[in-house]
Amino acid sequence: MTVTADSTEATAPAPPPEPAERKSEQRTQADALRELRSPVRWWTRSGVLVAAVGALSTLVPFAGIAELGRALLGPGPVEGGDVAGIAAVVAAALVAGWACNGLALWLTHVADARLQALLRRRIVEHLGKVPLGWYSDTNSGMVRKAAQDDIEDIHHLTAHHDVELTGAIVLPLGGVAYLLWLDWRLALLALVTLPIYLVAYAKMMRGFGDKMIQLDAGFARVSAAIVEFVHGISVVKAFGQANRAHQSYTRAVGAYGELYAGWVRPILRLEALTSMALAAPVVALVSLAGGIWYTVQGWVTPIDALAEVLVAMIIPSTLLTLNQAVTAQRKASAAAGRIAALLRTPTLPIAENPVEPQGYDIEFDQVSFSYDGSSASALTGVSLECRAGTVTALVGASGAGKSTLAKLVPRFYDVTSGAVRLGGVDVREIAPDVLYRKVGFVLQDVRLLRGTVADNLRLGRPDATEEEMVGATTAARIHDRILELPRGYDSVVGDDAVFSGGEAQRISIARALLADTPVLVLDEATAYADPESEAQIQDALSAVARGRTVLVIAHRLATITGADQIVLLDGGVAAERGTHEELLAADGRYARMWHAYADAEESAR
């Protein structure tokens, strides 16, 4: 953790994107939203059409009130039939408006439900085809945001705002058209305060995109300062630097507060003044004053002036809905852009004519690999043969390429050049479902799913019997711990089943043993186990390794001395290979590593 006084000041905010770049990104997001919503376009358009009819229907009562006034206040006798007819039309229009709005929302909610199901299926189907290594390199929060939060943003736009926006547009337009039919001056009077607000709103929104980018960057610095302090709090306290460590957070918050206040303060002043132009009392006062003047001038009748007041009062509420719709559109477009980017993730190439492997030997043939395909290679020209039924151990310093080489077998990644073969067949020519029935793996980073312990164990073999499951957990030395849980194997991970890192590792090992694959990749499978558990797990692994092809990475050299073959990787190159005794006799780098390891173990006793 950095606690220097100028740590925050050294981090300059990222410059906002150029207007052309921002417009291009907005167009891309809008296109993505259009494409994602295209399968339910008919449903949403039908909902919008019905909502427009509903909005026009709700306008009828306003005209009906005016016509009732005209009939009741006219110079001649009141005809009961006329009044009843107007009242019937108003009642029918109200019922029709409610029915249309309800039907419109039903249509858009059906569209939303279908769209959500379709998008989630697309995401799940697509993520099932991406390389497994993508999950190691990708923040799980991004996937969760796309599959949950971003779809929720599209939900609001599809299910609600389309209908609300239609009403907010059609209702005032229909009202203004009605006033134009009565007298064009009444339509102008209903809109007389609107330009004041629109000019002010345009001024308030000037530079909105750049300001939001700066605010997001400022908030990100605040979050980073919080995380920095929390992660390093033990070090800070140990060295008595708590006060200085707080300064980074204080400066970040202060800078964010000044930026936010500097933007919002003038906007609030302007908003407070201009919002009065659309306040109901102001609109009513202006409409009444103008209507009285029009009546005195003889341009309109009092009943026409009343109709203008009623129509003018609905305009402010529709503008609020329009503002909300614009915000919803922006959020949905940004969400659609992220979902589309997720769906563009390159998938694992699948052979058109997959081949069944013959045997379970592994061959690395001049394998080179680069994570981005262009920069420095993580592996260079590695050739290695792991015969069926043998144990091959990969050793080397951190970053030497051990995990990368092992993950090429189950196709976490595909080689940049060369080939990895299983049973004489390039793994790229084996169907993924066949490959994962042949190759099992246990990694350092154990992930247990939210479900019962039994469900987690049977993940690779759902039809396994209880006896087979217990046998696997017994071999992995985790059976007794599971029985201690409140509901044993029926305990739910995360609820009444909480495992330590070493225990979760043994669950993962038991899961791999239960899957009973002929090829097993162990990437430091005992990394989180205590020494006693590690010895037990190694005994179990030695037993189940018989007859299997095992590729193992171990951080404790003592655990792989009995391997049939040990390969030392150095800088992505296979520098040494042989048995433990052969490598010690060669007195090379492996021998030096072994002596250093043995000395460290002796000192620790």
Side-chain angles (χ1 to χ4, degrees):
M1 175 179 176
T2 304
V3 294
T4 55
D6 58 350
S7 60
T8 301
E9 295 170 356
T11 305
E18 295 295 328
E21 296 177 1
R22 189 166 61 250
K23 288 182 179 179
S24 176
E25 181 180 3
Q26 290 172 350
R27 283 195 299 269
T28 301
Q29 292 175 347
D31 292 341
L33 181 61
R34 239 182 338 265
E35 188 274 330
L36 291 180
R37 295 180 67 190
S38 60
V40 295
R41 185 178 294 125
W42 183 88
W43 288 89
T44 53
R45 287 181 176 175
S46 299
V48 166
L49 180 62
V50 174
V53 175
L56 291 176
S57 298
T58 57
L59 186 64
V60 172
F62 294 102
I65 292 174
E67 294 305 317
L68 278 175
R70 201 183 310 277
L72 294 173
L73 300 177
V78 178
E79 295 290 341
D82 294 341
V83 173
I86 295 173
V89 171
V90 169
L94 288 173
V95 172
W98 293 333
C100 287
N101 286 330
L103 178 58
L105 286 172
W106 179 81
L107 289 169
T108 55
H109 274 78
V110 169
D112 171 65
R114 295 192 174 196
L115 181 61
Q116 285 198 47
L118 176 64
L119 289 180
R120 287 196 167 96
R121 288 194 190 102
R122 285 183 63 185
I123 290 174
V124 170
E125 182 181 359
H126 187 81
L127 292 183
K129 298 177 181 178
V130 302
L132 292 175
W134 180 84
Y135 292 97
S136 302
D137 303 334
T138 303
N139 188 336
S140 60
M142 186 191 79
V143 179
R144 184 195 64 81
K145 181 172 178 59
Q148 183 173 322
D149 298 347
D150 289 340
I151 290 181
E152 183 69 16
D153 287 338
I154 296 178
H155 153 74
H156 284 292
L157 182 74
T158 304
H160 299 279
H161 287 292
D162 279 348
V163 171
E164 294 170 0
L165 179 62
T166 301
I169 295 174
V170 173
L171 187 58
L173 288 179
V176 171
Y178 170 62
L179 294 180
L180 284 171
W181 178 70
L182 293 177
D183 190 288
W184 63 270
R185 286 174 287 248
L186 291 175
L188 291 180
L189 181 60
L191 302 174
V192 69
T193 62
L194 185 59
I196 300 174
Y197 181 80
L198 292 179
V199 171
Y201 184 80
K203 184 177 181 180
M204 287 187 291
M205 291 297 102
R206 188 179 302 154
F208 178 82
D210 292 341
K211 288 294 183 182
M212 289 305 299
I213 291 173
Q214 293 175 21
L215 287 173
D216 287 344
F219 189 75
R221 289 193 292 275
V222 173
S223 300
I226 295 174
V227 172
E228 180 185 13
F229 179 76
V230 171
H231 285 181
I233 192 168
S234 58
V235 178
V236 169
K237 283 194 171 186
F239 289 93
Q241 298 293 324
N243 291 333
R244 291 184 63 187
H246 278 100
Q247 294 175 8
S248 175
Y249 169 74
T250 302
R251 280 193 298 272
V253 171
Y256 179 79
E258 290 177 5
L259 180 64
Y260 183 79
W263 176 51
V264 170
R265 193 178 293 117
I267 289 180
L268 289 178
R269 293 194 188 115
L270 184 60
E271 171 71 14
L273 293 174
T274 57
S275 61
M276 290 190 299
L278 294 180
V282 174
V283 172
L285 184 61
V286 171
S287 295
L288 286 172
I292 292 171
W293 181 43
Y294 287 0
T295 303
V296 171
Q297 296 297 321
W299 296 335
V300 299
T301 66
I303 300 302
D304 294 337
L306 173 63
E308 185 277 329
V309 173
L310 295 175
V311 171
M313 294 297 290
I314 67 174
I315 293 177
S317 62
T318 59
L319 283 178
L320 178 60
T321 304
L322 287 173
N323 287 340
Q324 293 173 342
V326 169
T327 303
Q329 180 77 25
R330 288 176 177 172
K331 290 180 65 177
S333 295
R338 289 187 292 267
I339 293 174
L342 184 65
L343 293 174
R344 287 195 300 269
T345 304
T347 58
L348 192 70
I350 300 176
E352 293 183 3
N353 300 304
V355 181
E356 185 81 17
Q358 303 299 317
Y360 305 115
D361 55 308
I362 302 172
E363 180 188 0
F364 298 92
D365 183 8
Q366 290 296 313
V367 167
S368 296
F369 175 76
S370 172
Y371 281 95
D372 60 6
S374 60
S375 62
S377 295
L379 297 169
T380 304
V382 176
S383 292
L384 173 65
E385 184 177 355
C386 309
R387 296 189 305 277
T390 65
V391 177
T392 299
L394 302 178
V395 300
S398 177
K402 306 184 297 296
S403 296
T404 302
L405 185 65
K407 289 178 180 178
L408 294 177
V409 179
R411 288 193 76 186
F412 273 54
Y413 312 97
D414 276 341
V415 297
T416 304
S417 63
V420 178
R421 300 186 181 93
L422 173 63
V425 180
D426 193 316
V427 293
R428 290 170 291 189
E429 298 178 4
I430 303 174
D433 57 333
V434 174
L435 181 64
Y436 298 135
R437 287 200 301 268
K438 308 291 186 184
V439 180
F441 43 88
V442 179
L443 307 179
Q444 286 189 63
D445 188 13
V446 180
R447 299 294 175 91
L448 298 181
L449 304 180
R450 186 174 183 83
T452 66
V453 175
D455 289 339
N456 274 272
L457 290 167
R458 289 192 174 109
L459 195 60
R461 191 179 163 197
D463 59 345
T465 66
E466 185 173 350
E467 290 75 15
E468 291 171 329
M469 182 173 63
V470 171
T473 56
T474 302
R477 304 301 192 268
I478 194 65
H479 172 66
D480 293 339
R481 173 70 181 94
I482 295 174
L483 293 182
E484 294 173 358
L485 298 172
R487 290 184 287 162
Y489 283 85
D490 292 327
S491 301
V492 177
V493 174
D495 289 346
D496 47 4
V498 179
F499 296 105
S500 67
E503 291 169 344
Q505 198 81 48
R506 280 181 276 168
I507 291 286
S508 179
I509 292 172
R511 181 166 58 195
L513 299 181
L514 188 61
D516 197 26
T517 56
V519 178
L520 202 55
V521 177
L522 306 174
D523 186 359
E524 302 205 28
T526 60
Y528 296 106
D530 55 81
E532 182 179 354
S533 297
E534 181 182 15
Q536 295 175 332
I537 293 172
Q538 287 299 332
D539 292 341
L541 291 177
S542 297
V544 299
R546 297 190 187 100
R548 289 181 172 84
T549 308
V550 180
L551 188 63
V552 59
I553 300 169
H555 64 299
R556 294 191 180 109
L557 296 182
T559 62
I560 47 92
T561 55
D564 299 287
Q565 179 181 210
I566 298 174
V567 179
L568 173 73
L569 290 175
D570 184 14
V573 177
E576 299 178 21
R577 74 186 66 188
T579 64
H580 175 69
E581 291 76 14
E582 290 171 346
L583 292 177
L584 287 181
D587 197 26
R589 176 154 186 178
Y590 176 83
R592 292 193 295 273
M593 288 177 59
W594 172 258
H595 294 314
Y597 169 78
D599 292 342
E601 290 289 307
E602 183 66 28
S603 300
R605 291 173 185 164

